[in-house]
Amino acid sequence: QVHLQESGPGLVKPSQTLSLTCTVSGGSISSADYYWNWIRQPPGKGLEWIGYIYYSGSTNYNPSLKSRVTISVDTSKNQFSLKLSSVTAADTAVYYCARAPQYCSGGNCWFDPWGQGTLVTVSS
Amino acid sequence: QSALTQPPSASGTPGQRVTISCSGSSSNIGSNTVNWYQQLPGTAPKLLIYSNNQRPSGVPDRFSGSKSGTSASLAISGLQSEDEADYYCAAWDDSLNGPVFGGGTKLTVL
């Protein structure tokens, strides 16, 4: 059973870069069958997809965040990471990592499983 | 403003059947499949329905999904107290070239 776990600082100062890592256990991140995603949820609000990465390193980002987002993968550690630059209070959210099937880009896209999420607060 | 529109709240009594709607457009629901997630209080979302009407292993058959045109619905029959949660619909959006979510529906079991 695949398990995903987010890790990283819970507090980031405005204008700095938010950095999170998702560690995958119980399965290989190098599988050609999946995309690896980041999704966030501001407190009391809905879900927003941030982007995904394939094991090969190819990425796809939400256009609303594309200029500030970088997702990378480290297959040797079975991890993938998120960097979000120039953060503001609006970036305060619970950040989730999640797996999606490789035909996600073909229009049939779901997230399963999800990590437990990590709250990142942007404040000075 | 979410790309998919859901009612903010829904309610029902134990044993009742409730439905939650999700409205989209030709660029998302109209041309791609719909998925539903259940988020219990203080926990991560969990996949409930995928590919419009498929249940992952372990999801009770009390939960069912359907899609017609640019709208979709989640139905919960035999409502139970443990079904009290937030429910989100989602679909790939061809204009965004990525998945979009509904704003979520808070289900209360009275």
Side-chain angles (χ1 to χ4, degrees):
Chain A
Q1 179 129 357
V2 173
H3 180 74
L4 285 73
Q5 178 71 57
E6 305 87 352
S7 60
L11 182 64
V12 181
K13 289 182 167 52
S15 80
Q16 293 190 342
T17 296
L18 177 160
S19 296
L20 296 174
T21 296
C22 181
T23 300
V24 178
S25 58
S28 175
I29 204 169
S30 298
S31 170
D33 294 334
Y34 301 107
Y35 286 123
W36 304 94
N37 295 261
W38 287 99
I39 298 158
R40 68 180 183 179
Q41 183 173 35
K45 296 188 178 180
L47 299 161
E48 179 182 36
W49 173 73
I50 299 171
Y52 65 58
I53 191 164
Y54 197 45
Y55 79 99
S56 62
S58 64
T59 55
N60 184 23
Y61 301 139
N62 187 324
S64 69
L65 298 169
K66 188 172 184 175
S67 63
R68 299 193 292 130
V69 170
T70 302
I71 299 177
S72 58
V73 65
D74 186 337
T75 55
S76 67
K77 294 182 179 179
N78 228 33
Q79 296 176 333
F80 64 107
S81 299
L82 168 70
K83 290 189 185 300
L84 181 65
S85 63
S86 305
V87 298
T88 69
D91 295 310
T92 294
V94 175
Y95 286 77
Y96 297 101
C97 55
R99 186 183 72 174
Q102 58 94 10
Y103 36 82
C104 184
S105 59
N108 196 5
C109 185
W110 62 85
F111 303 110
D112 181 55
W114 297 59
Q116 67 181 31
T118 187
L119 174 63
V120 179
T121 301
V122 178
S123 174
S124 55
Chain B
Q1 187 129 359
S2 303
L4 306 180
T5 301
Q6 299 179 236
S9 64
S11 63
T13 56
Q16 200 172 24
R17 182 178 187 271
V18 297
T19 61
I20 297 171
S21 63
C22 176
S23 178
S25 68
S26 58
S27 68
N28 42 63
I29 294 178
S31 52
N32 298 299
T33 60
V34 178
N35 311 296
W36 290 89
Y37 301 89
Q38 178 192 58
Q39 187 174 32
L40 297 170
T43 69
K46 167 192 160 188
L47 180 66
L48 197 62
I49 297 287
Y50 68 98
S51 297
N52 299 328
N53 54 19
Q54 301 299 301
R55 284 185 308 277
S57 174
V59 173
D61 60 6
R62 302 188 294 106
F63 296 90
S64 62
S66 63
K67 179 187 123 170
S68 179
T70 59
S71 295
S73 291
L74 172 71
I76 308 172
S77 60
L79 197 62
Q80 299 180 4
S81 58
E82 55 260 42
D83 298 334
E84 192 160 282
D86 293 327
Y87 292 85
Y88 293 89
C89 61
W92 185 270
D93 190 289
D94 294 334
S95 299
L96 177 73
N97 192 35
V100 291
F101 290 91
T105 298
K106 184 176 183 62
L107 175 65
T108 301
V109 180
L110 301 169

